[in-house]
Amino acid sequence: MKFKHIALMLLSSVISGCGSRQGAGDAASTGFTVEGDLVTIEESSPVAQRISIDVVRPEELGSGFTATASVSPRPDSYAEVGVPFGGRVTRSLVRLGDRVRRGQVLYEMSSADYMEAVREYVENNNKASVAVSNLNRKKALHESGIVSERELEEAVSEASDANAALELSRGVLSIFGTNPSSVRVGQPLRVVSPISGTVVRNDLVIGQILSDDDEAPLAVADLSNVWVKANVREGLVSSIGKGEEAEIESSGHPALKGKVCYIGEMLDDKTRTVPVVVECPNPDRILKPGMFVSARFPKNLDNALAVPTTAVFQGTDSKFVYVRQNGLTFKKVPVEVQSLGEGRMLVTSGLEGGENIIADGGIYLSQ
């Protein structure tokens, strides 16, 4: 019974403590009260002396705006070098980080499919040569009246069929990236690079068996120019033009200048942003694929709404600012913003201009 009594006393104290925390928002303890999205500050509260209120006015911004972005290779400057048919890796000719040129052999494979394709090509090449020689001979004989018209037509048909089979064999070899004029029966499949660049992935293992379903074991990329994909708020896209300059900023490095090469046609209904692609020279390979950076678009904005960074807070679902309703009563109003740098943020939705907001000191309302 004694232990039961002690347990009841502890439970009572916990419940009492919880009750005091629930009342932390009362004006008596904090100097302000919270009812839903409304916050009312007592005039005698120290918080009232610590906040500053400013009017949000439309203005012209000459410094542009910044959007979050990510780096990726240009689609025409990145290649995953796999195989169209199965085989065994017999030789690797490159290492990770090597510079390679287009057409350079990267690795060799022993492939039954490739050997069969070479055999068919050599066979069809010989047949085509014989058919063409036979056609030329019968043409000469036809002109002399020795060969009939029917025999000549048959020779023409045979040569046409043989050339068609040869072209098909050439097409099969082209899938392997092989030059038909240099093939030899029994030689290994030589996998070449389709582009010039740097080997950025190399998972080759001598002796491993690759199939056409496997992920490409090797990748080549030319990162001297990259794409920077920025997500721009819908209210700002109209201020960007194709071919205009943008600055790409990454941590610890000088800004790089690129040009807008694509503006998306569709809006992401979840983020309310439009993709904007900036093509950026990357001579020192500072920008790495997958890296997060900032894209600054130095475009003048008319009738823009800017607020201090100290006025914006992160709520459960979105960012918000405190907008004055009357006296010292403020409402949490959701906003969408983008960084302008230097302690300011551009409001792209949520405010219309003319609102009185808490520009500084709003942090005390969350305590």
Side-chain angles (χ1 to χ4, degrees):
M1 294 297 293
K2 181 177 181 181
F3 289 110
K4 182 177 180 180
H5 179 68
I6 294 174
L8 289 173
M9 291 179 63
L10 289 173
L11 179 61
S12 176
S13 64
V14 169
I15 294 174
S16 175
C18 289
S20 64
R21 279 193 293 272
Q22 289 175 346
D26 296 338
S29 58
T30 63
F32 60 88
T33 57
V34 179
E35 295 182 7
D37 290 335
L38 293 178
V39 179
T40 301
I41 304 173
E42 295 292 323
E43 293 185 2
S44 59
S45 167
V47 175
Q49 309 301 319
R50 294 178 179 179
I51 63 171
S52 61
I53 300 172
D54 284 339
V55 181
V56 180
R57 293 188 176 91
E59 58 181 293
E60 179 179 342
L61 297 176
S63 59
F65 61 93
T66 299
T68 57
S70 61
V71 180
S72 64
R74 281 178 26 172
D76 59 350
S77 299
Y78 177 81
E80 295 189 345
V81 189
V83 290
F85 298 102
R88 183 187 298 273
V89 177
T90 58
R91 189 182 179 194
S92 177
L93 300 173
V94 294
R95 294 179 298 180
L96 192 65
D98 283 355
R99 292 281 299 170
V100 297
R101 64 184 183 280
R102 180 179 180 180
Q104 180 176 333
V105 179
L106 303 178
Y107 59 99
E108 294 181 350
M109 292 183 62
S110 174
S111 169
D113 293 322
Y114 175 67
M115 291 180 181
E116 178 63 18
V118 171
R119 186 195 65 76
E120 288 186 0
Y121 170 77
V122 172
E123 182 179 302
N124 288 330
N125 189 46
N126 291 334
K127 288 180 178 180
S129 297
V130 171
V132 171
S133 297
N134 184 52
L135 175 60
N136 291 334
R137 183 175 60 82
K138 288 195 174 183
K139 280 183 178 179
L141 293 174
H142 179 265
E143 292 174 357
S144 301
I146 300 175
V147 171
S148 67
E149 187 72 27
R150 180 179 178 180
E151 288 179 295
L152 178 61
E153 290 176 353
E154 289 176 351
V156 170
S157 178
E158 290 174 359
S160 177
D161 290 344
N163 282 324
L166 178 60
E167 287 303 314
L168 180 60
S169 296
R170 282 198 180 102
V172 172
L173 285 179
S174 69
I175 296 176
F176 292 95
T178 300
N179 183 1
S181 63
S182 63
V183 298
R184 299 190 311 275
V185 175
Q187 73 179 17
L189 168 60
R190 294 176 174 175
V191 182
V192 302
S193 177
I195 63 172
S196 297
T198 302
V199 178
V200 295
R201 188 177 77 245
N202 188 350
D203 298 327
L204 284 172
V205 177
I206 303 301
Q208 74 179 117
I209 296 177
L210 297 176
S211 71
D212 55 345
D213 294 331
D214 292 336
E215 181 182 1
L218 193 146
V220 176
D222 178 7
L223 301 178
S224 58
N225 278 274
V226 295
W227 275 9
V228 177
K229 299 179 181 180
N231 298 314
V232 179
R233 295 286 184 187
E234 56 182 316
L236 299 173
V237 175
S238 60
S239 66
I240 302 174
K242 188 175 180 180
E244 291 183 350
E245 188 175 272
E247 294 181 352
I248 309 303
E249 301 171 346
S250 58
S251 178
H253 299 286
L256 298 173
K257 292 185 178 181
K259 288 188 176 181
V260 176
C261 64
Y262 173 75
I263 300 174
E265 299 291 337
M266 298 186 65
L267 176 74
D268 187 319
D269 58 357
K270 293 181 179 179
T271 62
R272 309 306 298 176
T273 61
V274 174
V276 175
V277 179
V278 177
E279 185 171 339
C280 184
N282 189 32
D284 298 323
R285 308 302 193 271
I286 292 173
L287 302 178
K288 312 292 185 185
M291 180 183 290
F292 288 102
V293 295
S294 295
R296 174 173 288 279
F297 300 93
K299 182 80 172 182
N300 288 349
L301 299 175
D302 297 327
N303 297 318
L305 302 179
V307 298
T309 303
T310 52
V312 182
F313 299 89
Q314 180 63 57
T316 304
D317 300 319
S318 64
K319 292 181 171 61
F320 67 90
V321 296
Y322 289 103
V323 177
R324 181 157 66 180
Q325 305 301 293
N326 54 69
L328 289 178
T329 298
F330 300 87
K331 182 180 181 181
K332 296 179 180 179
V333 175
V335 293
E336 293 181 351
V337 295
Q338 289 198 222
S339 174
L340 291 171
E342 299 179 353
R344 303 187 79 202
M345 305 197 82
L346 178 69
V347 180
T348 57
S349 71
L351 300 179
E352 297 181 357
E355 294 93 343
N356 288 273
I357 66 168
I358 296 180
D360 194 12
I363 186 66
Y364 297 111
L365 300 180
S366 62
Q367 295 180 351

